[in-house]
Amino acid sequence: MYHLAQFNIAKMNAPLETEIMREFREGLEPMNALAERSPGYIWHLRGENGSSSSDIRPYGEDILINLSVWEGLDSLKAYTYSGPHFDYLKRRKEWFAHLKERFLVLWWVPAGHQPTLEEAMGRLEHLHKHGPTEHAFTIAKVFDRPHTPTDAKASTLSEEEGVLS
């Protein structure tokens, strides 16, 4: 079985500690708590602050990162594009600059795998160099979840038994 990993970056309009970023900063913990309660949520990268990854800055002080794992695309989209998170997301122009390069990458990971930051950064770099592929893709161009030998066997058994799977 595979789950969906997502990694995104955002370039802040001002340092996180400033008044311009206050409402974003204050929303981090509630948005992470909402994600954790959302159907299909599995895991997210946490920094030293324990809740968000806002103190992890591999791309420099003005770039924030987010890395999480979801059961699949439907659960990620349901959290991202509805309810309080979507209201929060609609305000991103107040807090973040427009990036010309892709800022979000998706890929399938085996169930139980927690992707590393290095893995996520490599997937984003791969997307920049090669465009969407099975290795690294976008919400606009999603590749199918890989099948494990167990999945293939289960499908075959279901077809033989005349049961639709």
Side-chain angles (χ1 to χ4, degrees):
M1 172 171 233
Y2 285 83
H3 293 142
L4 187 67
Q6 78 78 35
F7 178 63
N8 67 75
I9 64 172
K11 182 175 182 177
M12 293 183 289
N13 288 332
L16 190 58
E17 308 75 35
T18 63
E19 181 61 25
I20 292 169
M21 299 296 290
R22 182 181 54 81
E23 289 182 79
F24 172 78
R25 187 178 60 248
E26 290 173 353
L28 281 172
E29 191 170 323
M31 290 302 112
N32 283 326
L34 177 62
E36 291 170 8
R37 294 189 308 272
S38 296
Y41 166 86
I42 295 174
W43 171 87
H44 75 269
L45 179 66
R46 299 170 194 272
E48 289 185 21
N49 64 26
S51 175
S52 75
S53 56
S54 62
D55 57 342
I56 302 171
R57 308 281 176 89
Y59 293 104
E61 284 303 307
D62 61 340
I63 305 287
L64 295 181
I65 63 161
N66 179 282
L67 173 59
S68 60
V69 177
W70 296 80
E71 285 181 2
L73 185 61
D74 290 343
S75 56
L76 173 61
K77 287 171 86 172
Y79 165 71
T80 303
Y81 300 116
S82 65
H85 184 268
F86 188 54
D87 294 336
Y88 190 67
L89 183 64
K90 288 190 278 189
R91 297 185 60 197
R92 68 181 171 260
K93 289 180 183 177
E94 295 175 36
W95 305 314
F96 300 102
H98 175 74
L99 294 175
K100 293 180 183 176
E101 290 188 318
R102 295 177 198 254
F103 58 88
L104 177 128
V105 64
L106 305 172
W107 70 101
W108 296 107
V109 297
H113 175 69
Q114 292 180 352
T116 65
L117 180 56
E118 292 75 19
E119 177 184 351
M121 293 169 67
R123 297 286 178 146
L124 185 59
E125 182 64 27
H126 186 274
L127 181 64
H128 288 164
K129 287 181 179 177
H130 305 286
T133 66
E134 289 179 345
H135 185 74
F137 49 91
T138 66
I139 287 178
K141 181 145 176 75
V142 176
F143 285 79
D144 289 339
R145 186 184 313 251
H147 295 286
T148 62
T150 304
D151 294 337
K153 184 177 180 181
S155 293
T156 303
L157 290 175
S158 296
E159 289 171 14
E160 289 173 1
E161 294 169 357
V163 177
L164 295 176
S165 54

